[in-house]
Amino acid sequence: MAPSDTVVVCAFGDSITDGTHSTLNINDRWMNVLSRRLHNAYGNKISIVNEAIAGNRVVNPVVANSTAGPAAVDRLDRDVLGLSGLTHVIWLEGINDIGAGTATASIIPGYQNVVGRLHGAGIKVYGATLTSALGISGIDMGDNGPGHDASRMVLNAFIRGSGIYGGVEDFDAVTLDPSTGNMQAEYLPNSTFTQLPWDYLHPNHAGYIAMGEVVDIQPFAPFNH
């Protein structure tokens, strides 16, 4: 029902876009912050759609019948390209693949597959860097640990340097504490009233705000569409 020149931005990814550790019912995920900035700047000719699923992966194998859904390469047509009026995608994903033991050499072709299909449909794609997964245990467990974090850096190097994206949203740079290799301390405490532990993977309210604030909104302006 929106005018045909409305900009439609899809936030595509996993739990860090879905909003794990954000504040319940407050809408303080990174794309909520970005949405408010875009609406303040450009009015109602722009819309953000969240198509993230916690636990989602870029490539197969996935956990059968899990709530994490099909891999990004399999759900792209339905969840992203199926959106009416889609113009842009911001994609942050890959840490669940690493946690599952998938090699970066297998994840990167998934990035290329999805980006190529989006470009083929005339969609502008922005790659988002993966935030810290170092953790504090010193072992690879779950989705973080020193080996997992090393793989994350390989993916980030591809996202930053491959040239396949229309731009890069450097969520890693804005949240990282270089002195520790983890997120900055103020982005770590859980910001919702649950029993979820600090996991050194998902940012809190302040971290999501920092991520939403670092995005350059100029490329999403309706007059650039």
Side-chain angles (χ1 to χ4, degrees):
M1 300 297 290
S4 60
D5 59 344
T6 301
V7 171
V8 178
V9 183
C10 175
F12 190 39
D14 53 30
S15 57
I16 296 178
T17 300
D18 193 35
T20 296
H21 282 194
S22 63
T23 312
L24 291 175
N25 299 321
I26 300 299
N27 293 323
D28 62 4
R29 298 164 293 184
W30 67 260
M31 92 294 309
N32 296 125
V33 176
L34 177 59
S35 178
R36 287 187 282 269
R37 293 178 61 213
L38 289 168
H39 285 125
N40 288 341
Y42 306 126
N44 62 3
K45 284 291 187 75
I46 191 159
S47 178
I48 288 190
V49 182
N50 188 334
E51 289 290 354
I53 305 175
N56 198 235
R57 299 181 190 175
V58 175
V59 294
N60 290 295
V62 298
V63 180
N65 301 316
S66 79
T67 57
V73 293
D74 292 331
R75 71 184 184 95
L76 183 74
D77 289 340
R78 180 195 67 189
D79 292 350
V80 182
L81 288 169
L83 293 172
S84 178
L86 179 68
T87 57
H88 301 74
V89 170
I90 302 174
W91 190 20
L92 169 60
E93 193 158 24
I95 199 63
N96 293 309
D97 299 78
I98 291 171
T102 303
T104 56
S106 297
I107 302 168
I108 287 171
Y111 286 163
Q112 295 167 321
N113 174 288
V114 166
V115 172
R117 288 156 65 192
L118 289 167
H119 283 164
I123 308 303
K124 297 176 182 178
V125 190
Y126 294 79
T129 54
L130 280 64
T131 53
S132 175
L134 180 60
I136 59 170
S137 67
I139 60 173
D140 290 326
M141 183 172 60
D143 289 330
N144 59 22
H148 292 343
D149 201 54
S151 294
R152 177 189 70 90
M153 293 178 189
V154 171
L155 295 185
N156 280 352
F158 176 83
I159 292 165
R160 290 180 176 121
S162 67
I164 69 170
Y165 301 94
V168 175
E169 313 303 352
D170 207 342
F171 293 157
D172 179 37
V174 77
T175 57
L176 185 71
D177 180 348
S179 69
T180 65
N182 275 305
M183 285 188 199
Q184 298 178 39
E186 60 267 34
Y187 300 156
L188 288 171
N190 192 350
S191 56
T192 199
F193 296 106
T194 73
Q195 297 303 307
L196 291 171
W198 296 14
D199 62 4
Y200 291 85
L201 187 72
H202 299 91
N204 62 8
H205 172 102
Y208 284 124
I209 290 174
M211 291 165 66
E213 291 285 355
V214 79
V215 177
D216 178 9
I217 64 172
Q218 183 65 33
F220 306 100
F223 50 81
N224 286 335
H225 171 43

